[in-house]
Amino acid sequence: MSSQTLMMTAFFLFLLGSLSTLTRRMMAIRLGHALLMMAGLSGFVAALLVLWSGTAWSLDLWSMAPFGMITLRMDGLAAFFILLFHGVAMPVALFGSSFAAGEAKPLWQTALLNLFFVAIDLVVLADQAILFLLAWESMSLVSTGLVLSRHEESPVRHAGFVYLAMTHLAGGFVVLFLLYLTVQAGDGHFASLAEALQGQVPEVQLLLLLAALLGLGTKAGLVPVHIWLPRAHPVASAHVSAVMSGLMVKAALYMLIRVFFGWAEALPMALALLVLGVGTLSALAGVYYALVEKDLKRMLAFSTVENVGIIVMALGAALVAREAGLAEVTSLALSAALFHGLNHGLFKSLLFLSSGAVYRASHEKNMDHLGGLIRQMPATAAAFFIGSLAVAGIPLVNGFASEWLTLQSLFYVGAFGLNADMGMAIGGSVNSGATMLGGLSSLNWTLVGGVLALLAAALLGLVGALAAACFVKAFGTVFLALPRSQGAREAREVPAVMRAAMALLAGACVFFGLLPSAGLRLTLPALEAVLGPTASSPLVLMDQGLGLIFWSAPGNLPISGGASAGSQLMIYAVAGLLMVVALLVAAVLTLLRKRSGRAPVVAETWNCGLPLEPTMEYNATSFATPLRLALGFVGRFAVERDLYRPFADGLLRLAQRMRPLQGGNVHIYLSYIFATLLLLLLFGR
Amino acid sequence: MQLVEIVGTVLLLAAIWLVGNRRLDRAVVNLTIQALLLTLVALITAVVAGVHHMYGVALLLFLIKVVAMPMAFFWALRRSERVLEMQPVLSPVVATVGAVALVVMVYFAVGSIRLPVPAVMSGLLPVSLSVILLGILTMITHRKALLQVVGLMTMENGLFMLAMASTFGMPFIVELGIFFDVLVSAVIMGGLTHQMKVVFASTDTDRLNQLRG
Amino acid sequence: MTMELWTGALQAVLALVAAPLLQGWIKWLKAQMQGRHGPSIWQPYRDLFKYSRKGEVISGHTSWIFRAAPVGLLTTTVVAAMLLPSPLVAAALPAMSGAAIGELLLFVYLLAMGRFCLALAGLDAGSSFGGMGSSREMYVAALAEPALILAALVLMIDAGTTNLTAIGETVRQAGWDWWSASHLLAFLALAVLVVAETGRVPVDNPDTHLELTMIHEGMILEYSGPSLALIQLAVWMKQWLLLNVWLQVMVPFGQGWMFAGLFCLLLALVGVGLALVESFFAKVRIFRVPRMMGASLMLGVLALLARFVQ
């Protein structure tokens, strides 16, 4: 079967799955999820075929007057994201088939989940502005419906409201961006839009790109327009949260990549640095809020903000590299961004699913009330452990490889910027009689980009270390030590189906951790799709046998020391080494124990002679306290209070002022209409 | 000449430390360290550039700034201060961060300034400028009269370093004149400090506004 | 590949054997400076031997994490030692130089992996000491990380790679010209971090078991017997490795026995420095640690700037 047919089959199965819930039987939950899983598989294979063959397909649906032909198109970039969406859909469906029954409105959720996948697939496959916007808005609405499935609770309603408000704001900017270009281009086809964007004068182009960044960034959860994300994601059911956090933000990132790399050919360095800065800010703020959070799912949602930040940092590095003329580094950084998107999709869904399992077993969301679950729920604990390792960027699990590549690309941008054009900083950028501000505007941007890229790399190090602290906290307080509540004490392991779903995702995390080159291979068609065929032709990512990544330094990097080895990361070799050494060490330990002639004595934890009580343990709050105090300055600026509150207040005051306009008198309303018509006649000619 | 730059950078670090410093005696120690580093710069310039009178300058620097002035300062400290802890205007953390921010600005701005500095010494230019500005910052952020002197001396150190960097040693007579100026100003400031102590029973320069008519 | 493996094995064995000696040397020096008789230089070896012969007590509240953590910690440290080019090996056996994998960021992340294991183990037993130790360990590590990455990357700019073997080569070729203002600042920044990462005064006190002050000792309070031996060995190895990196980016070591001697001499001198710091400084309050790390980060930023105008 061709990729096209498979994709259409997937759509058909999604719709069927959605319709099946109309039977209103509990059986339909199973059926809906089974169809979801089949659709997932079908689309997965479809995407894999495109990635494998490297040939894109497009499908004309119907013609629509002002917008031209409505077209679906799957190129390398779209296929990469479809692969991620459908790859995650399968374990989520498996998990949901058992999990959803215990949630509020399971039929409603099953139906919407199927529809959600239709919408998100269309977002990625749309090759035409109006179809994209339709899919984009349906994705927002369907996910709002999913968030509101427990609308009886007031916080859920509030979350839904904030989500809807923010998502519409974002939608407004995206509409503005796309429709403006459509008007300019004459039709809504993406290729024409790209041309139209390149044809704009630089100022207009900049404004359009800023609108796109704002609109898409809101949906991706970038700081400071992230405020909906930590509210909306956690209140949905766990498997839905997994889809929203793992996948929906990626749809926005997909469009961001398409616009910034595929459509815009050159943009001012300042904008590239802005992207880098926004990414760094999101990563830092996200990880800080995740660290101080004690609600397990909210913490995971904040961690999504952090990871989106890391992806956008890599995108920023790619943009800076492109402006500096470093084609290889651009490919590397973009590849890192895509790969981290894939990895985050996998480990974040894994973490959300296991948090759902924890909630199902213990009915506790607060980490301070959990504990000791590793004894009753070993499988869930193992799944969460692998997810934690991945999100903390620990080697051998998938998060590390993409974080490493991001660091590498930032470093290369920095090293290039600082090595290139020596003396430019002092001599070259001087215009005679320049004031200090004049000096700033004539700065050598490659150099400045290099300096800022290295600073961003340092902050990425901080983010990684804080993420490690955060997930030591999460795993330690949820699964280790003594249970801190009745619910945690009575928790039992979840059914085998849920465990299987988590095992699938955990397996994928380990797979891409041990064979990162497999993941990077998948990104290559996507790179070609946006950067053109030449972009990845130097093939900076060379695959040397089994999982050996070797990245050679770009040839045009002026290297003073004469070393040209480049950076190698032989993760496979390292994994082998770790295993061999671990076996050796374990053998030594066993030998020593045996030689001492005494089996380990099992006793109580030392607690100064008192029996150990759960209340004495360090919990999530106490664990995070030192870092909360040290980084308090991050938290002191509350985005909502300092940024949104004044804005909302102003809006309300304005609304208050407008109230007299609504007199309730029909004649007044009629005269408004009259005035509008008159004005239109006068000015609208 | 890289060596000069390294020594200059250490001097810059000392100046940054001075801004966030909270103890009077450490400020004097800091100044002594600065002077020692400056002497080192002079010596290196003498050896590398082969300017012989720089040996004399180095000797003078050592005698006046490393030996004589710290002694004078410690003498003044013993006479006028009981509490060595100061209450600076800014907290040390804020002051240090401000100092580093200042240095960052200098480094970025230095590209647009044209000074007749030989190319080998170009790395020293932002360092000296930073030290000069940090001297002023020290004077702004501290209330004690002694710190005003120390700040002034720091500025002078920066200037002197810049002068040495740009000329490989000025004519000897000019340098002698500068030394004399510095010495006189130190003596005057010392006397002023003492006098302030006598009049106000404190060396807090905020008290000086009581002198308004 | 085989060559890399042999070099790696040699480096790891060297670190395993020499790390306790370095620890013993520092401890002995410290005792001398404080006017105590002090334990002998060989005491760490005796300690390891003693621990390995003892029986073990394991808390019943713990899980497999607690039992696996010592193995994980020592494993990651040994593999880190295998990756890291050792100036001593390179100087003494020129055939072996340049054969280490030497990826710096991987080295940093491997150490983080060991720390992750140990911090979880600290939480596992459920005692407040363990939790406190883990929390503070992650706190110090997180604050040290940005400064570490920044200073390291600034030093790597010239080589254009994060491969430590290549850095070693770059340093060697540059000779003492390597000592520019920018690099000096980066060395200083790294010095602060080495002190913090090895758990020494003024960040942590390796000798204390007073619950309010301990960081590292708090995490491993529940360990005894052979497991404790593994952990101690790993910690000493980490100290050895960090000092190795630091000396390597700082000093242009050539090849030959003379440079091997120079390396040993410098290492001994660094030991003197650490002992001096331990003797003359008090441990700072845990909430003052950010200032130290901040100072190190500032040094890194200044190093970057100095590189910027070069």
Side-chain angles (χ1 to χ4, degrees), chain A residues 342-608:
Chain A
L342 175 71
N343 289 336
H344 174 248
L346 292 171
F347 65 65
K348 191 49 62 66
S349 346
L350 172 62
L351 286 168
F352 262 117
L353 292 189
S354 30
S355 80
V358 166
Y359 182 64
R360 176 56 51 84
S362 67
H363 303 285
E364 282 290 347
K365 283 188 289 191
N366 189 336
M367 284 187 264
D368 286 349
H369 295 164
L370 287 160
L373 293 182
I374 195 169
R375 271 175 290 280
Q376 297 105 302
M377 312 174 69
T380 308
F384 196 92
F385 184 63
I386 288 178
S388 304
L389 289 176
V391 73
I394 302 292
L396 305 195
V397 195
N398 61 357
F400 166 71
S402 43
E403 214 173 292
W404 183 82
L405 283 171
T406 308
L407 267 174
Q408 284 291 340
S409 38
L410 283 171
F411 167 67
Y412 274 94
V413 170
F416 175 80
L418 287 167
N419 273 328
D421 301 321
M422 299 295 217
M424 274 292 277
I426 294 166
S429 65
V430 177
N431 34 7
S432 51
T435 60
M436 190 179 142
L437 279 177
L440 277 179
S441 67
S442 66
L443 271 179
N444 180 344
W445 280 102
T446 312
L447 201 58
V448 175
V451 170
L452 293 181
L454 284 184
L455 286 178
L459 291 177
L460 183 56
L462 176 63
V463 168
L466 286 177
C470 179
F471 279 85
V472 165
K473 175 196 83 168
F475 188 80
T477 46
V478 173
F479 290 99
L480 301 180
L482 300 179
R484 298 176 180 84
S485 69
Q486 193 66 24
R489 257 189 299 280
E490 289 166 359
R492 288 289 165 270
E493 184 61 284
V494 289
V497 180
M498 292 198 212
R499 276 181 280 159
M502 291 188 276
L504 273 179
L505 282 169
C509 286
V510 174
F511 174 77
F512 283 120
L514 292 178
L515 288 169
S517 52
L520 292 171
R521 263 291 149 87
L522 292 177
T523 66
L524 290 184
L527 291 189
E528 270 175 37
V530 283
L531 296 175
T534 52
S536 57
S537 63
L539 209 70
V540 289
L541 309 157
M542 284 190 291
D543 195 356
Q544 298 191 334
L546 289 168
L548 240 64
I549 304 177
F550 176 84
W551 193 64
S552 67
N556 55 354
L557 198 67
I559 294 168
S560 54
S564 59
S567 278
Q568 323 181 23
L569 175 58
M570 297 186 238
I571 202 73
Y572 200 77
V574 173
L577 274 184
L578 277 171
M579 269 160 220
V580 171
V581 174
L583 281 178
L584 273 178
V585 172
V588 167
L589 186 62
T590 324
L591 203 73
L592 287 177
R593 279 196 183 135
K594 203 165 268 172
R595 227 192 42 171
S596 75
R598 274 173 288 182
V601 182
V602 175
E604 289 256 311
T605 295
W606 168 245
N607 197 36
C608 303

Side-chain angles (χ1 to χ4, degrees), chain A residues 20 22 48 90 101 103 112 115 160 198 228 322 400 430 432 452 474 478 500 529 568 575 606 667 670:
Chain A
S20 72
L22 289 180
L48 214 52
M90 288 184 280
E103 291 291 302
L112 284 187
L115 284 182
Q198 286 157 23
W228 62 273
R322 193 175 68 172
F400 166 71
V430 177
S432 51
L452 293 181
V478 173
Q568 323 181 23
W606 168 245
H667 299 290
L670 280 177

